Amino acid sequence: MEYILNIETATKNCSVAIAKDGQVLICKEIAEEGYSHAERLHVFIEESLQAVGITYNDLAAVAISQGPGSYTGLRIGVSAAKGLCYALSIPLIAVDTLASLAAQANVNDGIVIPMIDARRMEVYSAIFSHDGSLQRKVEAEVITEDSFNVISEKIYFVGDCNEKCKTVLTKENFTFLDTVKYPSAREMAKLSQVKFENNDTVDVAYFEPFYLKDFMITAPKKQ
């Protein structure tokens, strides 16, 4: 019987889930424009533990969404996860953000392409079969009307890029699942359980989020 704390902060969604043997017992999350992760994350963790009736010492591992995604969001989540793992002497598990996002599609055919907004027409994307197996690794790409045209199977798009991508991705085999917008800790549970059982963990001291692109500092707008 293992309890795993799953933390997802790669996008606007601040999400926490506690799972027992891969089954989600509770999930607390909120998606806000202002990125309230710093204020919400530890509160959600505390509330989730209390709701399940366990303490930090009952946790067997902490799973963190590794990216790609928001630089600040990822740093907040990874810092919290590392701190807990170090203090409790438990393993840290890294889960691919786009894999957990794709898992929300819950389809029985075709291809699933999860996408996370990277500004303008650029996205972070990967390609999965409907059963969750990876078909193409994560890339940063600019979406054009020719994107994914070589794929003849039905494609399901999920993520926070659907609205902007609908204007250029118009082929008949393209379907947008608009109800799936952000990755969630809920879908991390099964993925993190498999990694836990296979001892697929990362080094707490040296693990870094998968940013995919370098962090860019922009000058503030003139008043």
Side-chain angles (χ1 to χ4, degrees):
M1 180 177 69
E2 294 96 12
Y3 291 99
I4 296 179
L5 170 64
N6 297 274
I7 298 173
E8 166 57 65
T9 58
T11 65
K12 294 177 182 178
N13 193 29
C14 180
S15 181
V16 169
I18 295 178
K20 176 183 176 183
D21 299 328
Q23 299 299 312
V24 176
L25 302 178
I26 187 170
C27 180
K28 296 183 70 69
E29 58 188 359
I30 187 170
E32 295 180 315
E33 290 297 323
Y35 281 91
S36 59
H37 302 38
E39 296 80 12
R40 302 274 191 174
L41 180 57
H42 289 283
V43 174
F44 282 177
I45 294 172
E46 291 277 359
E47 291 177 347
S48 297
L49 291 170
Q50 292 175 10
V52 174
I54 63 173
T55 69
Y56 286 104
N57 291 326
D58 293 309
L59 296 175
V62 177
I64 184 66
S65 179
Q66 69 178 11
S70 158
Y71 180 91
T72 302
L74 288 169
R75 294 302 299 178
I76 291 171
V78 169
S79 295
K82 281 188 170 187
L84 288 172
C85 289
Y86 180 79
L88 298 169
S89 297
I90 57 177
L92 176 63
I93 299 168
V95 176
D96 178 10
T97 302
L98 290 174
S100 61
L101 177 57
Q104 291 187 58
N106 194 28
V107 295
N108 297 315
D109 65 337
I111 297 294
V112 179
I113 299 182
M115 298 189 292
I116 292 177
D117 194 8
R119 298 181 181 178
R120 299 184 178 88
M121 289 307 293
E122 189 172 14
V123 304
Y124 303 130
S125 69
I127 300 177
F128 295 84
S129 64
H130 64 272
D131 63 3
S133 58
L134 182 65
Q135 302 296 306
R136 195 213 71 195
K137 65 180 183 179
V138 179
E139 294 181 4
E141 59 183 316
V142 175
I143 298 298
T144 70
E145 60 183 11
D146 296 322
S147 297
F148 314 116
N149 278 354
V150 297
I151 302 176
S152 59
E153 297 175 75
K154 188 170 185 177
I155 299 177
Y156 298 92
F157 294 100
V158 295
D160 60 357
C161 306
N162 280 4
E163 285 304 314
K164 74 177 185 181
C165 290
K166 284 179 182 179
T167 60
V168 292
L169 300 178
T170 58
K171 285 186 65 179
E172 291 184 358
N173 62 318
F174 293 170
T175 298
F176 292 86
L177 302 180
D178 293 334
T179 57
V180 182
K181 190 171 185 179
Y182 299 118
S184 169
R186 186 182 301 276
E187 277 67 38
M188 289 176 63
K190 290 184 178 180
L191 299 174
S192 61
Q193 181 65 28
V194 170
K195 289 200 167 196
F196 180 80
E197 293 173 355
N198 293 329
N199 293 316
D200 185 358
T201 61
V202 295
D203 189 295
V204 174
Y206 296 103
F207 173 74
E208 289 292 331
F210 178 46
Y211 299 118
L212 192 58
K213 294 200 305 181
D214 292 334
F215 178 55
M216 301 295 291
I217 299 177
T218 56
K221 293 180 180 180
K222 294 182 180 181
Q223 299 296 323

